[in-house]
């Protein structure tokens, strides 16, 4: 082999090695890192007690363009003899979004729960609901559905079987009241409200923004499972001076999601 041929072979090998490294690098960079897991409820002796600690949804999202909601039906249901707690996750994607569950004794479903709201942010929100009036020892099929101005989306369909000798949970959906903002300055404010868990393990959060569309979602915080009003608040910083902000308090437990009234304040 001549000296020229040897040099050509070395050049070709180097090119192939460089191409392989680039290909591997590109594929590693393409792996998604923002996957969201399906929420679960802890098993209880008398109910499928909902726990905000088991559904952590404070996921960092980068999407800012409004669109149809993202819907994930929760794989696990928690049935009793005549009821079942089911849940899932809905990302509103920038528009006020409602959710409900469709269910029935066949894959054709045919029934639906009441409609509830999860706001307009880009954060995945748990979607609990309690289905009542079921038949004992019967298989039921269900799926989560959500809708906003950009479209209606259905989640995957799953099934569960009601049990015998396991009574339905006691309690009810939380009571929520948005209260007037306090300590308002040029760049700061404190959002206030009242939450009554009504004997269901409850979590709460605030929505806020510079329009009635809100859009920002605070961290989910436990409100316990008592039966009295609890004062809750959220301190905001880095606000824009001389700007009107809108906000409301939300809470949920295994019986459903409740939204407070939208109030507003203006920074100084």
């Amino acid at each position: 082999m001549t000296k020229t041929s040897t040099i050509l072979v070395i050049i070709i090998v180097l090119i192939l090695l460089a191409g392989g490294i680039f290909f591997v690098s590109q594929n590693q960079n393409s792996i998604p890192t923002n996957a969201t897991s399906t929420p679960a409820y802890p098993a209880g002796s008398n109910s499928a007690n909902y726990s905000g600690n088991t559904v952590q949804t404070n996921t960092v999202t980068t999407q800012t363009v409004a669109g149809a909601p993202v819907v994930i039906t929760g794989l696990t249901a928690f049935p009793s003899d005549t009821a079942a707690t089911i849940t899932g996750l809905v990302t509103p994607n920038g528009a006020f979004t409602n959710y409900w569950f469709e269910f029935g004794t066949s894959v054709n479903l045919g029934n639906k729960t009441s409609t509830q709201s999860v706001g307009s942010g880009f954060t995945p929100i748990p979607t609990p609901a309690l289905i009542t009036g079921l038949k004992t020892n019967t298989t039921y099929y269900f799926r989560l559905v959500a809708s906003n101005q950009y479209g209606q989306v259905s989640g995957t369909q799953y099934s569960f079987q009601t049990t015998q000798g396991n009574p339905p949970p006691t309690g009810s959906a939380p009571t929520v009241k948005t209260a007037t903002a306090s300590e308002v300055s040029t760049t700061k404010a404190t959002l206030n409200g009242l939450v009554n868990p009504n004997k269901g393990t409850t979590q709460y959060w605030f929505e806020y923004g510079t329009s009635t569309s809100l859009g920002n979602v605070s961290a989910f915080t436990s409100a316990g499972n008592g039966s009295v009003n609890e004062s809750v608040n959220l301190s905001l910083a880095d606000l824009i001076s001389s700007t009107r902000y809108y906000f409301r308090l939300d809470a949920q437990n295994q019986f459903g999601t409740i939204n407070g009234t939208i109030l507003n304040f203006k920074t100084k």
Side-chain angles (χ1 to χ4, degrees):
M1 181 179 293
T2 65
K3 183 178 181 180
T4 302
S5 299
T6 302
I7 293 173
L8 288 174
V9 170
I10 293 173
I11 293 174
I12 291 172
V13 171
L14 290 173
I15 292 174
L16 291 174
L17 286 174
I21 292 171
F22 176 78
F23 177 80
V24 172
S25 175
Q26 289 297 97
N27 277 276
Q28 288 177 336
N29 292 334
S30 66
I31 297 173
T33 59
N34 60 344
T36 305
S37 60
T38 303
Y41 289 86
S45 59
N46 186 45
S47 68
N49 291 323
Y50 174 74
S51 172
N53 294 331
T54 66
V55 187
Q56 181 54 257
T57 61
N58 301 332
T59 305
V60 176
T61 53
T62 57
Q63 181 179 352
T64 57
V65 178
V70 176
V71 177
I72 301 175
T73 307
L75 175 62
T76 304
F78 293 85
S80 65
D81 50 6
T82 59
T85 300
I86 51 180
T87 189
L89 287 175
V90 169
T91 304
N93 278 341
F96 273 116
T97 298
N98 294 321
Y99 78 86
W100 63 93
F101 285 89
E102 297 175 342
F103 66 97
T105 54
S106 75
V107 294
N108 295 323
L109 306 174
N111 303 288
K112 62 183 293 186
T113 64
S114 60
T115 298
Q116 301 175 68
S117 173
V118 287
S120 61
F122 291 93
T123 299
I125 306 292
T127 55
L130 179 70
I131 304 176
T132 59
L134 304 181
K135 299 178 181 178
T136 303
N137 295 328
T138 303
T139 298
Y140 283 87
Y141 300 84
F142 70 99
R143 68 181 179 185
L144 175 62
V145 184
S147 175
N148 63 22
Q149 68 186 80
Y150 297 99
Q152 179 174 307
V153 179
S154 298
T156 304
Q157 187 173 124
Y158 296 113
S159 66
F160 64 86
Q161 184 170 1
T162 52
T163 57
Q164 189 169 5
N166 182 22
T170 58
S172 60
T175 303
V176 176
K177 180 180 180 180
T178 312
T180 305
S182 61
E183 301 176 346
V184 179
S185 67
T186 55
T187 59
K188 297 180 180 181
T190 299
L191 309 184
N192 301 294
L194 294 173
V195 176
N196 187 330
N198 289 330
K199 299 183 179 181
T201 303
T202 298
Q203 65 176 2
Y204 71 88
W205 67 98
F206 285 91
E207 295 178 85
Y208 62 95
T210 56
S211 74
T212 54
S213 296
L214 305 174
N216 297 293
V217 179
S218 73
F220 295 88
T221 305
S222 173
N225 59 355
S227 57
V228 297
N229 288 334
E230 176 184 343
S231 296
V232 298
N233 58 71
L234 172 69
S235 296
L236 298 179
D238 299 323
L239 302 180
I240 304 171
S241 63
S242 301
T243 301
R244 188 165 299 281
Y245 284 85
Y246 298 82
F247 68 100
R248 73 177 178 185
L249 174 62
D250 304 301
Q252 63 181 208
N253 57 27
Q254 72 264 39
F255 299 98
T257 302
I258 303 297
N259 314 111
T261 303
I262 295 178
L263 302 181
N264 68 83
F265 66 90
K266 187 176 181 179
T267 52
K268 297 181 180 178

